[in-house]
Amino acid sequence: MSDVPAKPAHPAPPDGRPTGAPGRIGVFGGTFDPIHEGHLAVARTARDAFDLDLVLFVPAPRPWLRPRGPVVPADDRLAMARMATMGERGFDVSSVDLDRPGTTYTADTLRDLRKQYGPGPEFYLVLGADSIRHLDRWARVDSVLRRCTLVAVGRPGAPRPSELPDEHPGNQARFIEGPMVDVSATEVRRRLAAGESCAGMLPPAVERYIGEHGLYGATRAAAAMSR
Ligand code: ATP
C-alpha cells in the first residue's frame, strides 16, 4: 500500500477561507442582448486560463455606452443568461446591477460585488478585446483597475491590448487569444428580425425563449427553422 496520502477531492483553500468559497471570481459584464455562443466561449476561455472558481455573468440594465439602450428588457436578458449558463462548470449570473438605479458603471458593479463577497476573492474583469479600446472613456477607470485584474479575450477584428497606445488603460490587460468566435448580438438581432437562421450562434434554450416570447422580431417559425 502506498504511504502517499490521497489528495482530497476539494482541498481547503490555503488562506483560511471556508472550503468552497470562491478564491478567484471572473466578472463578465455585458448587455447580453441576447447572450450568444461568443459570450460563452469568452467566459470558458477566461475560466480555464486563470483557473477561476466562478465566472459571474452580470447583465447591465442601462449600459452607459448605449445611449439608445438595450433592445429587450433587463429581466428577459437576465432570464436568457440564466438559461445559457445553467449546468456550465463555475458559471453563474448576478443581478447586482439590476438593483441599482441610473446608468450602469463597472466601478459600481465591482464595489457592490466586493460588499457581497467580502475581502477574500480576487476579481478578474473579463472583457472582449473590442471593449478594451473604450477603457479610456470609462467612468472612474482608476477605481476599476484598482479593484481587479483586467482580462481581454480575443475577438475577430479587435486589437490586442499591446497594440493600444502606451498610456491607454487597456494596455494593462492580460490577453488570451481564445477561440475567436465571430458572433455578435447585433448580427443575431439582425438575423432574427430578418427571419434568418441563427444556427450555432445561440444556446438552444435561449433560441427557444426568444421564439416563445417573440423577442427581436423573431417569430416561432423562424426560431424553429434554425433548429
Ligand atoms: P452588440 O453586438 O449588441 O454590441 P456584443 O455581441 O458585443 O453586443 P455585449 O453584451 O455588448 O455583446 O458584450 C459583452 C462583452 O462580451 C464585451 O466585453 C464584449 O467585448 C464581449 N464579447 C461579445 N461577443 C464576443 C465575441 N464574439 N468574442 C469576444 N468577446 C465578445
Side-chain angles (χ1 to χ4, degrees):
M1 206 174 99
S2 161
D3 55 3
V4 178
K7 194 176 166 209
H10 297 289
D15 55 5
R17 280 180 283 119
T19 306
R24 295 178 166 194
I25 301 181
V27 178
F28 187 30
T31 315
F32 302 125
D33 194 16
I35 190 164
H36 54 66
E37 290 294 348
H39 294 127
L40 296 174
V42 165
R44 288 183 195 118
T45 301
R47 177 194 63 197
D48 297 345
F50 292 93
D51 205 10
L52 303 177
D53 301 304
L54 179 65
V55 180
L56 286 176
F57 289 67
V58 191
R62 290 163 293 275
W64 70 274
L65 267 170
R66 291 184 196 235
R68 284 194 307 180
V71 176
V72 311
D75 286 348
D76 284 317
R77 292 183 283 118
L78 188 74
M80 291 188 279
R82 289 203 167 114
M83 287 171 189
T85 53
M86 200 172 288
E88 277 262 3
R89 180 171 55 85
F91 285 9
D92 204 351
V93 177
S94 169
S95 60
V96 70
D97 282 346
L98 270 64
D99 305 331
R100 198 181 322 105
T103 306
T104 314
Y105 295 109
T106 302
D108 298 330
T109 311
L110 291 170
R111 180 202 59 208
D112 290 353
L113 286 174
R114 178 60 72 202
K115 277 189 213 151
Q116 201 173 322
Y117 284 90
E122 291 172 59
F123 289 142
Y124 289 72
L125 185 67
V126 180
L127 299 164
D130 59 307
S131 300
I132 286 286
R133 63 183 154 199
H134 302 306
L135 266 181
D136 55 348
R137 292 163 47 212
W138 280 27
R140 288 166 278 143
V141 71
D142 291 346
S143 159
V144 171
L145 296 175
R146 268 200 315 276
R147 290 174 186 276
C148 65
T149 300
L150 212 52
V151 172
V153 179
R155 185 168 191 173
R160 291 164 175 247
S162 58
E163 292 170 44
L164 297 168
D166 285 348
E167 62 285 0
H168 195 287
N171 232 304
Q172 307 187 21
R174 314 248 321 251
F175 179 71
I176 334 163
E177 181 154 297
M180 291 282 189
V181 176
D182 196 7
V183 180
S184 71
T186 304
E187 175 62 10
V188 167
R189 293 193 298 270
R190 189 199 65 73
R191 288 184 184 221
L192 289 167
E196 295 174 18
S197 167
C198 289
M201 299 174 122
L202 294 173
V206 170
E207 200 165 341
R208 264 195 306 279
Y209 185 94
I210 289 171
E212 282 164 13
H213 292 77
L215 304 180
Y216 308 108
T219 60
R220 282 167 194 269
M225 206 176 78
S226 60
R227 285 202 284 274

